[in-house]
């Protein structure tokens, strides 16, 4: 029985920026940041939906992975944006997964070294193509690329989760 490689669009949502990463299985294919440059909430929601649609079509995405917002670090506006992105993904037949930052850190940094710099460095160790981004991030006062690194981390966790899920299904089918 041949299994199809999961194609994951990973998003770290923010009120001004979307961190994005695309995975084909465990392979990181694309990463970056999209600026929500529009003024009204409706315009930003529309742009976010268009971004999800564009990536879904270009990469034949099968799953959407998102960083779950922390209630105390979120706003009504940002919550609305995330709800609309998830509704759009559901309408586009994408399976949606959410992972908290604590779950991401626990999965990628099991030794307890759970700060954002350690998370970024771990992600960079796994994907050497991100080394230049890491150096640029360390030299800046504003951490613009942090959203992108967290999106990559979400994608890694989702990819591992889906891989484990497929192994369980294969074992059940063999019985």
């Amino acid at each position: 029985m041949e299994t199809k490689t999961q194609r994951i669009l990973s998003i770290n949502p923010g009120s001004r920026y979307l961190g994005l990463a695309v995975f084909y299985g465990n392979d990181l294919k694309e990463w970056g940041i999209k600026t929500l440059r529009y003024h009204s909430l409706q315009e930003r929601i529309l742009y976010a939906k268009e971004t999800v649609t564009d990536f879904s079509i270009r990469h034949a995405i099968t799953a959407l992975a998102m960083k779950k917002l922390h209630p105390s670090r979120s706003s009504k506006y940002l919550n609305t944006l995330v709800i609309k992105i998830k509704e759009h993904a559901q309408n586009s037949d994408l399976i949606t997964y959410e992972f908290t930052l604590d779950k991401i850190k626990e999965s990628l940094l099991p030794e307890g070294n759970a700060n954002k710099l350690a998370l970024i460095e771990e992600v960079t160790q796994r994907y050497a193509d991100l080394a230049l981004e890491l150096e640029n991030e360390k030299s800046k006062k504003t951490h613009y690329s942090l959203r992108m690194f967290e999106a990559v981390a979400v994608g890694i966790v989702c990819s591992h989760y889906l891989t484990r899920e497929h192994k369980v299904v294969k074992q059940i089918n063999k019985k």
Side-chain angles (χ1 to χ4, degrees):
M1 182 173 133
E2 192 175 314
T3 59
K4 183 179 175 184
T5 300
Q6 291 288 334
R7 293 185 178 214
I8 303 165
L9 172 59
S10 177
I11 297 177
N12 180 6
S15 57
R16 293 183 182 167
Y17 307 103
L18 292 177
L20 301 161
V22 175
F23 287 83
Y24 292 12
N26 292 324
D27 296 331
L28 177 62
K29 294 294 184 181
E30 190 173 339
W31 60 91
I33 297 172
K34 290 287 187 179
T35 303
L36 299 174
R37 58 189 173 272
Y38 303 102
H39 299 289
S40 75
L41 174 61
Q42 294 306 323
E43 290 172 318
R44 290 177 190 218
I45 289 170
L46 180 62
Y47 185 71
K49 287 179 180 181
E50 289 171 353
T51 300
V52 170
T53 299
D54 176 52
F55 275 81
S56 296
I57 292 169
R58 278 193 294 134
H59 295 284
I61 297 297
T62 57
L64 175 71
M66 293 182 68
K67 177 183 165 189
K68 187 173 178 119
L69 300 175
H70 192 281
S72 69
R73 294 184 174 91
S74 179
S75 66
K76 183 178 177 182
Y77 163 81
L78 187 53
N79 290 334
T80 301
L81 179 68
V82 169
I83 288 167
K84 295 299 182 183
I85 290 172
K86 289 193 294 189
E87 285 174 358
H88 180 68
Q90 186 177 19
N91 293 337
S92 301
D93 294 326
L94 296 177
I95 301 167
T96 304
Y97 300 92
E98 285 188 281
F99 300 94
T100 63
L101 186 57
D102 287 340
K103 178 65 177 168
I104 295 163
K105 288 178 179 179
E106 178 186 305
S107 297
L108 297 179
L109 303 168
E111 63 279 347
N113 190 12
N115 63 44
K116 288 190 179 186
L117 180 59
L119 182 65
I120 290 171
E121 288 174 343
E122 176 64 27
V123 166
T124 305
Q125 281 184 344
R126 292 173 187 238
Y127 297 101
D129 291 343
L130 299 174
L132 182 60
E133 297 278 352
L134 175 62
E135 291 307 313
N136 289 337
E137 185 69 13
K138 284 182 177 180
S139 67
K140 294 178 182 173
K141 289 183 182 178
T142 58
H143 299 289
Y144 175 75
S145 298
L146 180 61
R147 289 213 181 280
M148 183 267 307
F149 281 105
E150 287 183 356
V152 173
V154 170
I156 293 169
V157 172
C158 186
S159 178
H160 289 300
Y161 173 79
L162 292 173
T163 301
R164 284 192 306 268
E165 191 175 85
H166 283 286
K167 286 180 183 175
V168 170
V169 170
K170 283 182 183 178
Q171 290 172 353
I172 291 170
N173 289 338
K174 286 182 180 179
K175 291 181 180 180

